Amino acid sequence: MSVSGEMILAGRPTRGEGAPFAASNPATGSAIAPDFPTATRDDLERACAAADDALAPFRALGPADRALFLDRIAEELAADANAIVERAMAETGLPRPRLEGELARTMNQLRLFGRVLREGAYLDIRVNKALPDRTPPRPDIRLSMVPVGPVAVFGASNFPLAFSVAGGDTASALAAGCPVVVKAHSSHPGTSELVAKAVARAAAACGLPDGVFSMLFGNGADIGAGLVADPRIQAVGFTGSRAGGTALIAIAQARPQPIPVYAEMSSINPVLLLSGALEQRGEAIGKAFAAALTLGAGQFCTNPGLLLAVEGQGLDSFVSSAAAAIRATTPATMLNRGIHRAYCAGVRRLASHPAVTPLAQGVSGDGWVCQTALFTVSARDFLAHPELHEEVFGACSLLVRCRDAVELRTVLAALEGQLTVAIHAEGADDQAQAAWLLPLVERKAGRILFDGFGTGVEVCDAMVHGGPFPATSDVRTTSVGSLAIARFLRPVCYQNTPDTLLPAELRDANPLNLPRTCR
Amino acid sequence: MSVSGEMILAGRPTRGEGAPFAASNPATGSAIAPDFPTATRDDLERACAAADDALAPFRALGPADRALFLDRIAEELAADANAIVERAMAETGLPRPRLEGELARTMNQLRLFGRVLREGAYLDIRVNKALPDRTPPRPDIRLSMVPVGPVAVFGASNFPLAFSVAGGDTASALAAGCPVVVKAHSSHPGTSELVAKAVARAAAACGLPDGVFSMLFGNGADIGAGLVADPRIQAVGFTGSRAGGTALIAIAQARPQPIPVYAEMSSINPVLLLSGALEQRGEAIGKAFAAALTLGAGQFCTNPGLLLAVEGQGLDSFVSSAAAAIRATTPATMLNRGIHRAYCAGVRRLASHPAVTPLAQGVSGDGWVCQTALFTVSARDFLAHPELHEEVFGACSLLVRCRDAVELRTVLAALEGQLTVAIHAEGADDQAQAAWLLPLVERKAGRILFDGFGTGVEVCDAMVHGGPFPATSDVRTTSVGSLAIARFLRPVCYQNTPDTLLPAELRDANPLNLPRTCR
């Protein structure tokens, strides 16, 4: 497949009639053909109307048939893998192995939800049969989860495949039975087109209603805002900046009928370096930290942007090792001009902050590249300056030096919500300290990990990629892993309903053979 | 126990120092002793601080121990049952059998959550053990649900026991491991005190931290708003008016860290009377409708406030029967002066509406009594006048006469979200029509029921007492039934965590013997 500048409107390749834009190659800054005409308000209206029409037939399809659709999307992506990866390389500056890995992960994610659908436990089916002889008699009541309705998904810049057009939000929403309207990220429109066409081919092959999937080009203020405000849209998935997320939340809350926005926004992912671990293996942790920090130019939501440690010899050896590794890092191209600009501004802000001292910088370079940066600040100053708690998206981190474990805990308590908190611990003293810290850590983050870094988010049943605000807008959910499907479901119960009128999953004979809890 | 005018502040009976108020007997309008001094801002601060301190130990307690606490609350309520019921009769005007039933339901609800805790499936424990030989290696990842944090509960006026101090919100929040701060409803402060003291006795008997439970008196604008705005509160449970609910949501959204508000607000609970059912048993349905409408002076969230039917002989016989039954209803005392005033205003609004025709009125009476009212309007006029879609809380209902089934469906599509939709169907034609309507019905309501009315909400595993906005503020949840616990939980995962540092429910040896999914 070649990139032609088309959107997918209600399942069909369609050329927009709005103002065109082009992608830029972040390695060279030059535009990449072709142009992508954007969606008009009328295109948006048609996509939302078709999604609304598709809800009932898509909901009626049953989990096993939707699983076939997800599997088929994975197959269509595989069939077009080379074109997708090459276009993504050109549009994002990310290297081939990373994008091949990300495509594999995206396909696995679709298949994971296929498995979730076939198992059926996600429906939480509950059957309470009538108890006519009880006083008062109990009616027959049966509960299942149903799709919330059409879902708007915003492609993310930093994962052009796994958090974009056919990424986790789309996969989990489709799995739940929700038609999806994607607003593609303007950083990788060609990649978005190729992926969207794979989804559309899969939908057509499975005979699904047209409106099950649309993908539009357009800017956030017009098409993005219009999508969230559209009365047919019932939930929103977003991965991006805090400013972007809070803007969407405000639109969603101002609707006559407010809707949930699942925004994954901002996290500095504190790493707690306990004294025993630093003493035993400060040097090794320093190297591992530098590797985690610079991976993918630091453009991960789970990038280790904050280190908390108690002063001492172990910390010194960690710092020398991390600094040496950082000084040797070659600069990597960032995703786009805006991200590069924001990164440089963030680094400058830290470098010029009176309370902050630079520890190390990576090699610099030309173009939109990320020059790795590590700074340090005392715990006292960090506590006094909340602006230092803000995320700098990219390979930049801040080491907070604490006098003792109590001060370290005070710093942790002052932090906002996080996606991850990592703890490095070695020996009995560290273990005791970790045990003392954990109840607080648990309140701060969705994922707690030991002796590692949060980068690398496993797609599995037990993953939580979520956390308290502002890490996400909804602490009750995850955007990665099989539990992500719960974001797009709502419970409905049927009382005293004739068997033939019940949804198939609730009928007496259990024709879909799904697990149910009966009492 | 006698009523002394005390709150419960961090587990201890405490006299407020704010302006006092007294309850009124709605049957006589006269004040009932004693006075209840309200909470000061300082009391609120202490309650929230204690709740925050109690979170970690209460979370650490383990489900089985929290189940003992819930069972003990039920026992303490049973021990004080007579005093509670008599005080509630005086404060609410509700009759003894209703309040005895409601107390039994409240105790059953606590025990239901005790069972949920002992079974442990609500924790959704997922264990993905490490796969060191995979490429890339998979870390060990384990997920469990943890409490969201301290919860604010607002007592409801219309269920002084089951949706109040120890009602469904409190029971499910405590079950989840969340400390609770209740703002008592000012309509039944003595009942609230007695119930709160029962909860406090149970907490003391179980050796729980003081902050696990507080119950404050105070007005909504000050103590209620302050509670929702307090940074330690992490979720809110509310049952009441749309204006009250939306005000709390606005406060919760304006916080630096927004929090979820579970507000159950406004529902007119459409009843679809299909033609076959009306022809076969219009008279019987009319009688049953009048009984459901007037039950408890119509003061139920699930009261049948709207009837949709196609013109015809069957409908005429339904109307004569319903009207005759309504004309014979004796007036029942309403819960308080405010509700009575709003009811009378709502009935006057309908009576004076140019498009609306009165069908029947119940017997009138002195004092704050509810004179039942049934009106009718054409579908066309109903569609043209959205103000007719608003709830009139009390025994008032509006029959929408439709020309045919297509118009009936159009009316249904125009409605806002509902707690319940009831369908009366008889014979093959009705069944076909119901099947055609159901996909739309499912999008409109959390509970769909056949050949009955939504009043009477069974407390069981399969119940959904929820629905799209404005029925509730969060369509993904229920406030009745065992699934209500999910409102107060968030997922957290632990990665590569030493076994001794894992929460007990995630350890290898499964010491709490809880169900888990391992892969």
Side-chain angles (χ1 to χ4, degrees), chain A residues 52 59 119 126 128 134 262 442-443 445-448 458 461-462 476 482 490 493-495 519, chain B residues 52 59 119 126 128 134 262 442-443 445-448 458 461-462 476 482 490 493-495 519:
Chain A
D52 198 57
R59 181 259 185 271
E119 291 177 350
R126 299 158 180 231
N128 291 156
R134 199 194 63 176
Y262 301 106
E442 194 178 78
R443 294 177 73 168
R447 179 160 58 115
I448 299 160
E458 179 72 26
D461 292 312
R476 299 160 295 176
S482 58
R490 52 179 274 252
C493 79
Y494 285 80
Q495 179 175 322
R519 270 181 216 281
Chain B
D52 198 54
R59 181 258 185 268
E119 291 177 349
R126 297 158 180 231
N128 291 157
R134 199 194 61 175
Y262 301 106
E442 194 177 77
R443 295 178 70 169
R447 180 160 58 114
I448 299 159
E458 180 71 26
D461 292 311
R476 299 160 296 176
S482 57
R490 50 179 275 252
C493 79
Y494 284 80
Q495 179 174 322
R519 266 181 220 281

Side-chain angles (χ1 to χ4, degrees), chain A residues 52 55-56 59 115 119 124 126 128 134 138-139 141-143 145-146 249 253 256-258 260 262 431 434-435 438-439 442-443 445-450 458 460-464 468-469 474-477 482-483 487 489-498 500-501 519, chain B residues 52 55-56 59 115 119 124 126 128 134 138-139 141-143 145-146 249 253 256-258 260 262 431 434-435 438-439 442-443 445-450 458 460-464 468-469 474-477 482-483 487 489-498 500-501 519:
Chain A
D52 198 57
L55 176 63
R59 181 259 185 271
R115 196 203 74 205
E119 291 177 350
D124 198 8
R126 299 158 180 231
N128 291 156
R134 199 194 63 176
R138 182 172 85 176
I141 307 179
R142 300 166 187 227
L143 176 151
M145 291 290 170
V146 307
I249 294 166
Q253 285 294 324
Q257 176 225 11
Y262 301 106
Q431 294 246 335
L438 271 172
E442 194 178 78
R443 294 177 73 168
R447 179 160 58 115
I448 299 160
L449 65 136
F450 277 76
E458 179 72 26
C460 62
D461 292 312
M463 177 50 64
V464 177
F469 187 93
D474 192 331
V475 71
R476 299 160 295 176
T477 62
S482 58
L483 193 56
R487 298 177 296 168
L489 295 167
R490 52 179 274 252
V492 167
C493 79
Y494 285 80
Q495 179 175 322
N496 286 347
T497 303
T500 51
L501 289 177
R519 270 181 216 281
Chain B
D52 198 54
L55 177 63
R59 181 258 185 268
R115 196 203 76 207
E119 291 177 349
D124 198 7
R126 297 158 180 231
N128 291 157
R134 199 194 61 175
R138 182 172 84 176
I141 307 179
R142 300 167 186 227
L143 176 151
M145 292 289 170
V146 307
I249 293 165
Q253 285 293 324
Q257 176 226 10
Y262 301 106
Q431 294 245 336
L438 270 172
E442 194 177 77
R443 295 178 70 169
R447 180 160 58 114
I448 299 159
L449 65 138
F450 277 77
E458 180 71 26
C460 62
D461 292 311
M463 177 49 65
V464 177
F469 188 92
D474 192 331
V475 71
R476 299 160 296 176
T477 62
S482 57
L483 192 56
R487 297 177 297 169
L489 296 167
R490 50 179 275 252
V492 167
C493 79
Y494 284 80
Q495 179 174 322
N496 287 349
T497 302
T500 50
L501 289 177
R519 266 181 220 281

